Amino acid sequence: QSIAQANGIANPNLIYAGQQLVIPGRGNTAPAPSPNAPPPTGDVSGIENRPGVRGSAQQTIAFFMSKGLTRAQAAGVAGNLQYESGFNPSAVGDGGTSFGVAQWHLGRGAAMKSWTQAHGYSSTSFKGQLEYLWHELNNSESYALGKLRATTSAYDAGMAFQRYFERPAVINPARGQAAQNYYQESLG
């Protein structure tokens, strides 16, 4: 607990490999990492991977920070996934035409299912769907990733992700507010 407090870490489960920590009583005075500093790109543990089991906002934030997004940008994704599916990888919407945490529609839904299975995940794995979302952001949805990376606040990240990745019929400012709320929660 004292290590978490000395480093400004609200949730000790979100400490990542390679992160430099201050150990109280050891005489080291390295500053705590900025709340927006992304951890190194790589795997992150603790992301729900069982088929059909719901994930969470904090898992979403940890996952996308591990890919290099800032905490605010990752919270922007989380705010949208809350509205799309409540983090439920088995969610089905739009009369049976949209699937998963991001409610991929028709062809995108079929592509998500195919990609997750081809990469060793169940098509209803939360982690597998987050990996597919990241794959899309780096390929067919790279414009959305650029818009997301250009943001500096969680609210703006939530609005950009909504507008350029999710593309709902009605733009809802509540998604940006949800992103801001998740950002604040992730800070402790």
Side-chain angles (χ1 to χ4, degrees), residues 3-148:
I3 293 172
Q5 286 176 340
N7 291 279
I9 298 170
N11 183 347
N13 295 320
L14 297 180
I15 294 173
Y16 53 88
Q19 182 176 357
Q20 293 186 342
L21 299 173
V22 172
I23 308 297
R26 284 286 184 89
N28 52 2
T29 58
S34 159
N36 281 324
T41 302
D43 291 333
V44 64
S45 62
I47 305 299
E48 185 54 64
N49 194 31
R50 293 173 292 172
V53 179
R54 188 180 307 262
S56 71
Q58 295 312 313
Q59 289 177 9
T60 302
I61 291 169
F63 177 86
F64 286 105
M65 286 181 68
S66 81
K67 299 298 187 183
L69 295 183
T70 67
R71 182 179 304 274
Q73 292 161 353
V77 177
N80 276 277
L81 297 187
Q82 169 60 46
Y83 273 81
E84 290 295 323
S85 66
F87 306 102
N88 180 358
S90 296
V92 178
D94 295 331
T97 62
S98 296
F99 307 96
V101 295
Q103 288 295 279
W104 287 280
H105 191 69
L106 297 175
R108 282 177 79 191
M112 177 275 292
K113 291 175 181 178
S114 176
W115 189 94
T116 53
Q117 291 172 346
H119 287 82
Y121 298 100
S122 162
S123 65
T124 60
S125 157
F126 183 70
K127 183 177 182 183
Q129 289 184 16
L130 292 184
E131 291 284 5
Y132 178 70
L133 198 160
W134 184 244
H135 167 78
E136 268 198 323
L137 284 171
N138 283 280
N139 291 282
S140 61
E141 299 292 330
S142 61
Y143 184 76
L145 179 59
K147 290 294 192 178
L148 180 61

Side-chain angles (χ1 to χ4, degrees), residues 147-171:
K147 290 294 192 178
L148 180 61
R149 285 191 186 276
T151 63
T152 57
S153 75
Y155 180 88
D156 289 345
M159 296 304 290
F161 191 81
Q162 173 182 198
R163 184 169 316 235
Y164 299 105
F165 183 86
E166 292 293 352
R167 301 184 290 273
V170 176
I171 299 298

